[in-house]
Amino acid sequence: MNVAVLGAGSMGHGIAHVSALSGHSVIVRDVEQELVEDGLEQIEANLEGGIEREKITPAEKEDAIERLTGTVSLEAAVEDADLVIEAVPEQLEIKQDVFEEAEEFAPDNAIMATNTSSLSVTEIASVFEDPSRCIGLHFFNPAHIMPLVEIVVAEQTSEDTKEFADHYVESIKKTPTTVTDVPGFASSRLGAMFSLEAIRMAQEGVASIEDIDETMRLGYNLPMGPIELVDHTGIDVNVEVMEYLREELGERFKPPQLLKRKLRAGKLGRKTGEGFYVWEDGEIVGVSDAGDVAE
């Protein structure tokens, strides 16, 4: 199928990666050409990493790259799309504005999917003339590696749209789970509680950041600890999600002060080179000073 991915950042380029690798034609769109090019370069680098790990062949990489194009034109991105997936910042108004504009240019039968990790898909869908074709496709970071896609069914989502989403997720060799449209769905509510308690423990001096993460990795067989995951997804994104869940579900989701200090300092995690950890070339090389920013 023809897939339009709106947003070339960490989630967008990951979604484009798995879609192209699975045989779909993919257009990646962002608001600046430099962002588009950065996203496409990251896809190529990740595909090369797949070759090094013997997950894919050089021929599969080249085929995937041939299926990928980039643009800054929203109309060009969606005009022939069977599926439009937005991966723009986690703010309701931005997502709604992007979809309102995309609906003007996309085919009437195109499925419109949001990659939101916590916002109401029902509310996002409300801007569509035909909200029955809107659904949530919540990928996990890094999208080209993580095997799960959470399918979020809005109040307006039709059964045909749900079946289309199931088919797409299976086509990219991911495992779908289905949830109703409640705040935080299943994954973000559970994940937020892991991260919140881990950061509170670090803040209280219960254990070091490394030991908290190591406990969860080895004791619960997780691929990475909850604090490392916060750095991966972005401290700004995590604060936004937690504040939204706090508003919808109560004070148990209140972001810890340690997390908010990192946000104020602009230490947003892997994407800025420092969060709870210090990063170089996508790898942890040290631990940031937990008390480096005064209130």
Side-chain angles (χ1 to χ4, degrees), residues 61-272:
K61 172 194 168 183
E62 293 306 315
D63 287 346
I65 289 173
E66 287 182 6
R67 299 186 191 104
L68 281 162
T69 56
T71 184
V72 295
S73 167
L74 184 60
E75 180 176 3
V78 305
E79 61 184 354
D80 295 319
D82 300 300
L83 172 64
V84 177
I85 305 174
E86 70 77 14
V88 302
E90 190 73 352
Q91 297 179 29
L92 178 65
E93 294 79 10
I94 295 176
K95 292 180 184 294
Q96 288 179 323
D97 289 347
V98 166
F99 271 142
E100 277 191 298
E101 188 176 357
E103 190 178 30
E104 294 180 21
F105 303 118
D108 292 340
N109 62 345
I111 301 303
M112 315 294 274
T114 172
N115 182 53
T116 181
S117 59
S118 64
L119 299 175
S120 169
V121 180
T122 298
E123 193 167 0
I124 292 171
S126 68
V127 301
F128 287 104
E129 291 184 13
D130 178 13
S132 71
R133 59 176 172 156
C134 183
I135 197 163
L137 288 177
H138 177 206
F139 286 77
F140 292 77
N141 196 15
H144 67 289
I145 293 175
M146 299 296 282
L148 177 66
V149 177
E150 193 175 32
I151 297 177
V152 186
V153 180
E155 290 291 330
Q156 310 97 317
T157 303
S158 70
E159 185 59 33
D160 286 346
T161 298
K162 170 63 170 58
E163 290 178 2
F164 183 102
D166 283 331
H167 170 71
Y168 165 73
V169 172
E170 290 169 0
S171 78
I172 60 172
K173 301 176 180 62
K174 301 289 186 184
T175 300
T177 59
T178 302
V179 298
T180 55
D181 184 27
V182 296
F185 320 137
S187 59
S188 292
R189 284 175 68 169
L190 291 168
M193 293 310 295
F194 270 123
S195 298
L196 281 164
E197 193 58 29
I199 295 168
R200 290 189 192 111
M201 289 168 63
Q203 183 172 280
E204 295 165 7
V206 173
S208 68
I209 287 169
E210 307 103 300
D211 283 349
I212 291 168
D213 274 346
E214 191 79 348
T215 296
M216 294 304 294
R217 275 196 299 267
L218 301 182
Y220 289 82
N221 199 29
L222 298 178
M224 69 178 69
I227 300 177
E228 182 183 348
L229 181 59
V230 167
D231 265 14
H232 257 283
T233 56
I235 285 169
D236 51 339
V237 173
N238 277 270
V239 171
E240 288 172 2
V241 170
M242 290 171 186
E243 289 288 13
Y244 171 74
L245 293 176
R246 178 188 185 187
E247 179 182 344
E248 294 289 332
L249 299 173
E251 289 299 304
R252 66 187 187 275
F253 289 99
K254 179 181 178 180
Q257 285 301 312
L258 178 56
L259 185 68
K260 294 172 78 171
R261 289 203 298 271
K262 292 292 184 185
L263 177 66
R264 292 171 189 143
K267 296 179 179 181
L268 306 182
R270 184 175 181 266
K271 61 188 173 184
T272 61

Side-chain angles (χ1 to χ4, degrees), residues 27-38:
I27 298 181
V28 182
R29 185 260 180 178
D30 215 312
V31 293
E32 296 178 7
Q33 185 62 34
E34 183 179 358
L35 297 175
V36 174
E37 291 173 0
D38 287 348

